Amino acid sequence: MADNAPVLKAVVPAAGLGTRFLPATKATPKEMLPVVDKPAIQYVVEEAVDAGLQDVLMVTGRSKRSIEDHFDRAYELEEALRAKGDAERLGAVQESSDLAIMHYVRQGEPRGLGHAVHCARQHVGNEPFAVLLGDDMIDARDKLLQRMIEVRNRYGGSVVALMEVEPDQVSAYGCAAIEATDEDDVVRISDLVEKPSPDEAPSNWIIIGRYVCDPAVFDVLEKTPPGRGGEIQLTDALRTLADMPADQGGTVYGVKFRGRRYDTGNKLEYLRTVVQFAAERPDLGPEFVPWLREFVREYDAAGGVDGPGGA
């Protein structure tokens, strides 16, 4: 029987070092890299709020102060914009500070996603909660998190988001062994493997950066030893929960997601995300898309010559 406690809180781990984006992330958190004109982390918080989760805990680390500043008020800037009568930019600045009730806790050392989630224990308490990874952006038109909360409300336990990928991609993700339920997009998880080789993967369904966790996960994480990469893996804790009885907070379900996901965790996918968002913006797309077509045409005609970053 499902635990009817509502999901009201979101946890956003944002303590990573961002090494794949160096040197840009030497002094700027990777979560603050802009997708057009908003930092990626703001889209993630907006998604949580859109799902009804206005209590957001950000798990940060050293050199992440600008994240807190972004979601705080900027009185001097607001007054300057108000004095200029620039209502549009004033609204954009105030939007981030009015989004949610923001809280922060520091992960003292980078010991893995599981450790980052465990840092939220005191704030979350004995309540179910959502975890949203800052590297993953879900299109606002695809209500993945709402669906996951619905599944949690019906079945209890924990819920992960799943996407089907080609076999050669499974080694970059946690991978799930799944069993069908009476709902087409919902499966029960029987096993989880962190970054398996293609021949060891239990399926082509990988876990993406959205979770709804039963609070039982905290006790499990406390006892979970370091796994792959010497880090405490959330995947390992969920694997334990999958074998636990439902009345102890166990069982794990998966929601099969076939919508639009943007991965901003590596440079190529980040660039693709920026281009897609710019192309779909009504204030930018009508000029940007024709320019992009012309650029690609000229680039192809020139045989792909080296650009400003070339050799």
Side-chain angles (χ1 to χ4, degrees):
M1 183 175 180
D3 179 353
N4 291 324
V7 181
L8 300 174
K9 295 178 179 178
V11 174
V12 182
L17 298 176
T19 54
R20 284 179 287 184
F21 284 88
L22 287 171
T25 49
K26 179 181 178 181
T28 301
K30 68 173 182 177
E31 296 85 3
M32 290 299 294
L33 295 178
V35 177
V36 186
D37 54 4
K38 284 195 296 191
I41 196 70
Q42 182 170 334
Y43 291 95
V44 175
V45 174
E46 288 173 351
E47 180 187 347
V49 171
D50 191 44
L53 312 180
Q54 295 197 344
D55 185 315
V56 178
L57 175 69
M58 199 80 66
V59 182
T60 65
R62 295 182 67 246
S63 304
K64 301 281 184 169
R65 181 60 185 271
S66 62
I67 296 177
E68 297 184 36
D69 290 342
H70 178 73
F71 290 102
D72 199 359
R73 298 297 299 272
Y75 292 104
E76 296 87 350
L77 177 59
E78 291 176 24
E79 285 303 317
L81 293 171
R82 191 176 287 110
K84 292 180 179 179
D86 194 338
E88 181 179 353
R89 289 186 175 86
L90 176 61
V93 167
Q94 292 176 328
E95 181 183 12
S96 59
S97 58
D98 294 338
L99 260 180
I101 301 171
M102 301 295 297
H103 307 270
Y104 302 90
V105 64
R106 281 199 173 191
Q107 182 184 17
E109 54 183 315
R111 295 177 56 197
L113 176 58
H115 180 260
V117 171
H118 191 264
C119 290
R121 182 170 197 164
Q122 185 173 3
H123 180 78
V124 170
N126 194 35
E127 301 176 32
F129 62 102
V131 177
L132 299 87
L133 303 192
D135 286 348
D136 273 346
M137 290 168 51
I138 304 298
D139 195 291
R141 294 164 290 188
D142 297 320
K143 306 302 182 182
L144 171 61
L145 191 54
Q146 287 94 322
R147 178 57 177 153
M148 294 174 68
I149 292 172
E150 289 172 4
V151 171
R152 155 73 194 189
N153 290 341
R154 176 175 177 182
Y155 294 98
S158 298
V159 185
V160 299
L162 302 174
M163 282 194 78
E164 192 170 24
V165 299
E166 295 299 322
D168 61 354
Q169 295 180 300
V170 295
S171 60
Y173 301 92
C175 188
I178 59 178
E179 301 170 354
T181 69
D182 59 357
E183 298 186 74
D184 290 342
D185 66 332
V186 180
V187 293
R188 181 164 179 167
I189 306 295
S190 59
D191 195 12
L192 291 165
V193 183
E194 181 67 21
K195 298 182 178 179
S197 61
D199 59 334
E200 295 176 338
S203 75
N204 291 350
W205 289 93
I206 56 103
I207 304 171
I208 59 174
R210 297 295 179 272
Y211 311 78
V212 176
C213 294
D214 188 276
V217 74
F218 291 125
D219 284 339
V220 174
L221 283 169
E222 199 166 298
K223 302 171 185 174
T224 299
R228 191 176 184 91
E231 298 182 334
I232 298 173
Q233 301 289 350
L234 180 59
T235 301
D236 292 340
L238 290 168
R239 186 182 190 186
T240 300
L241 285 174
D243 289 331
M244 287 172 50
D247 61 1
Q248 296 179 21
T251 67
V252 179
Y253 294 89
V255 171
K256 292 181 174 180
F257 180 62
R258 297 182 174 89
R260 290 154 287 199
R261 168 188 176 241
Y262 310 95
D263 182 356
T264 59
N266 66 74
K267 286 178 276 191
L268 180 58
E269 293 300 325
Y270 169 75
L271 290 172
R272 287 172 174 164
T273 298
V274 173
V275 169
Q276 286 178 267
F277 273 60
E280 293 187 2
R281 284 268 297 256
D283 59 330
L284 297 174
E287 291 186 47
F288 177 66
V289 172
W291 173 86
L292 185 61
R293 290 196 187 103
E294 182 64 18
F295 170 79
V296 172
R297 187 189 67 78
E298 293 178 356
Y299 182 85
D300 289 341
V305 296
D306 290 329

